[in-house]
Amino acid sequence: MSVKKASACVLVCINQHPKSRALLYAGAKKAREEKLPWMVLYVEEPSYYQLSNEARDHILKCLTRAEEMGAEIIRLQAPNVDQAITSFVKSSLQGSLPVKHIIIGAPDNRKFLPRLFAGHTSGISSRLSTICEVHVVPLKGDYDGRNWMAMLGIERVELKEIIFSLMSVGVALLAAEMLKKMMADYIFLLQPQNIALIFLISVVFVGGRWGLIPALIAAFTSHFIINYFYVKPYFFFTLSQATDVINLLLFLVAAIMVALFSSHTRAYAQSAVKREKRTQALYQLQRLTSENQSHFDALKTMHDALHNLLEMEVAFFRAPDEGSEIPQTEYPMEVDLDDASREALRLCWRDAITTGMGGPYSRGVQWRFEPMFTNTGLMGVIGVKVPMLLSIDSSFGRLLSAVSDQCASIMQRISLTRKMEDAKISEEKEKLRSLLLSAVSHDLKTPLASIIGSLSVYHSMADKLSDEHKLTLTTTALDEAQRLDSFISNILDMTRLESGHVKFKFDWHDPVALLNRVSKRMRNRLRERELKFYEPDIHAEVWVDGVMTEQLLQNLIDNAIKYSPAGTPVEVWMEMNKRQFIIKIRDHGKGIPENMHVRIFDKYERLQKEDSQVAGTGLGLAICRSIVEQMSGTITISNHEEGGAIFEVALPKSRVHKEPKLEAKT
């Protein structure tokens, strides 16, 4: 069944009017009637951050409710509301979803100033009536969201900002007096308009640094200082000429306009800083948790990051226990919630919606709860305790929503990673179990059968056997016992290396001495072989673990014996260059295909080869690679041009051994 794609939409424009929620219901109704999607647009002006807490909380609740009703939320930042709405509607005509119906509110308020600052509904209607259908919904009640106190930012002015503005004017006065003293009158004409430029710089600085009200204070203070100190008659607040009155009035008007524009720019800058900080919060959250692999560590990292970035108390909650409807605290373990907050938390989990401050069920609740969704469903709740004196806004609500989605994604990634690791471990365990079963059933059972058979014949027929036969039987039993010991040692060594229980003890060792000890220990294995050793030109020492290096050499020599025809030698070279010490071991077998040069060092790889009848567990070369890597070296393989494989071990740290000098005795 094909789904018909929408060709238009319904746009609802809201503001901070206390009855603007009625616009949401009107928009939802129109969208159902027209069977079209609908969007909610809110234009954020620079004065938005100067609104009262109630007005900003109301906007946040409206946008949250609209999202719950299925609307797409659009937030724009612009200096003018009606121009932003007009531009958005016109630009939608060029897109895939043009606006067909627009719903705006008309405040029913007879007060002149609130009506003046509430918006220009009639202007929007006249401009957009030819583009789309404009529906005006009357909104009853006083429009107090943008009163004079909020617009001028008086509610947010601190005493220190007023002091700083007066100090700035004082600095301007000092600068004017210094210029007056330093320059002659014919260079610096002491006129009010010249002095005004100095004080105007002070007003610009204060407006851009501390906002509108401190800038206005600086402007009026500068006006009185210029009148008192630099307009005749001096040191009196009187004006003798009409031109002086005009000059001071022009300065005052210019200063007020500069204060307005500079504070306007400051508001935009603050808004950009907040957006950047919240974007950085999401980035930091992802970066800090990218290396966490455990559930608890990720929760702790996310909690600490959000607590530092938001400067608020943060908590994570998981699904309720059996028999309970309230989600359980997951991190931190102790969170103090009152009855109202616990009820909001319960409803957040039950209805999978945002609750608490700035959302539904917010009466008397200081917490805000956001559900954590993944593509598999609801996995938890994140709670943020909003300080009483903090003003939250719609962008803050959307930030928390994005944070909850980010946290849910991180937790899901860790959960999937853990499942993949568990599956890999399970696969490795199964592979190891199969290996052990194969070794026990064949590789370990074969030498045991030879040992038992040889000793049984010797025990039952000892009187009838010649000395030569007795020697053959005991030698066979000894060889098979040593081979069995080698099999078991490889399995145990691989397990110890992978578990990290082996602690390497590094020291300077003579590699020739290490090889000699290995050859003595393997003399039974080398009975029918010749070990050709080409000593290095210089006497060198290497920084290695002696025991593990002997194990490395033994495994490589044993591997060369297994895959070389009888009677062929095993060749060993040692050499030292400026960067590293090289050990090469060559067999005279068939060589190894190039596509197997890397895989040959993997565990169990021998079991997949055609020559799997060669006795062994397939762990020898894997052990070699683990030992070399622990010593910061490398091991590679190549084929000799005359046949056979060459294993090359490169050890990074070596030195020339210097024999101690003997002092002559007299």
Side-chain angles (χ1 to χ4, degrees), residues 152 165 203 206-207 211-222 252 255-260:
L152 297 179
S165 67
V203 175
V206 173
L212 178 59
I213 295 303
L216 292 177
I217 293 174
F220 281 100
T221 305
S222 300
L252 184 61
I256 293 175
M257 292 182 64
V258 166
L260 288 171

Side-chain angles (χ1 to χ4, degrees), residues 648-665:
E648 180 177 313
V649 177
L651 301 174
K653 197 169 183 180
S654 61
R655 69 180 184 183
V656 177
H657 178 66
K658 296 181 179 179
E659 297 290 346
K661 295 182 179 180
L662 298 178
E663 295 182 359
K665 294 183 179 181

Side-chain angles (χ1 to χ4, degrees), residues 108-304:
D108 182 16
N109 196 318
R110 297 183 180 181
K111 297 178 182 179
F112 174 73
L113 290 177
R115 289 179 61 193
L116 178 64
F117 288 102
H120 308 284
T121 305
S122 58
I124 296 176
S125 301
S126 61
R127 279 192 291 270
L128 299 180
S129 58
T130 58
I131 300 176
C132 58
E133 296 185 31
V134 181
H135 307 272
V136 180
V137 178
L139 301 177
K140 297 182 179 181
D142 290 338
Y143 187 68
D144 296 329
R146 297 176 66 186
N147 52 41
W148 279 103
M149 295 283 287
M151 284 193 62
L152 297 179
I154 296 177
E155 297 173 344
R156 291 178 169 270
V157 174
E158 298 181 5
L159 178 61
K160 64 178 183 180
E161 296 176 350
I162 298 177
I163 295 175
F164 288 150
S165 67
L166 296 176
M167 290 175 61
S168 178
V169 175
V171 172
L173 176 61
L174 182 62
E177 288 297 318
M178 290 178 63
L179 289 175
K180 178 181 177 183
K181 298 294 183 183
M182 293 170 59
M183 297 183 179
D185 291 341
Y186 67 89
I187 298 177
F188 182 78
L189 298 178
L190 194 61
Q191 297 293 331
Q193 56 267 31
N194 303 108
I195 299 298
L197 296 178
I198 299 176
F199 286 91
L200 200 59
I201 295 174
S202 172
V203 175
V204 173
F205 173 76
V206 173
R209 183 64 179 85
W210 293 292
L212 178 59
I213 295 303
L216 292 177
I217 293 174
F220 281 100
T221 305
S222 300
H223 175 271
F224 288 118
I225 288 177
I226 294 173
N227 184 12
Y228 188 79
F229 288 101
Y230 301 105
V231 177
K232 296 179 180 180
Y234 300 128
F235 310 113
F236 289 98
F237 290 107
T238 57
L239 299 174
S240 59
Q241 298 181 8
T243 55
D244 296 333
V245 177
I246 295 174
N247 289 337
L248 284 177
L249 288 177
L250 289 176
F251 167 78
L252 184 61
V253 172
I256 293 175
M257 292 182 64
V258 166
L260 288 171
F261 282 110
S262 60
S263 62
H264 185 85
T265 304
R266 175 175 175 267
Y268 260 118
Q270 289 179 331
S271 176
V273 169
K274 287 187 176 183
R275 291 197 305 272
E276 178 65 20
K277 182 178 179 181
R278 290 167 181 175
T279 302
Q280 286 293 328
L282 295 177
Y283 169 74
Q284 291 283 346
L285 184 64
Q286 179 66 33
R287 185 183 64 82
L288 290 172
T289 55
S290 60
E291 297 180 356
N292 290 115
Q293 296 300 324
S294 71
H295 184 84
F296 179 81
D297 290 343
L299 283 176
K300 184 179 184 303
T301 302
M302 289 190 296
H303 172 271
D304 295 343

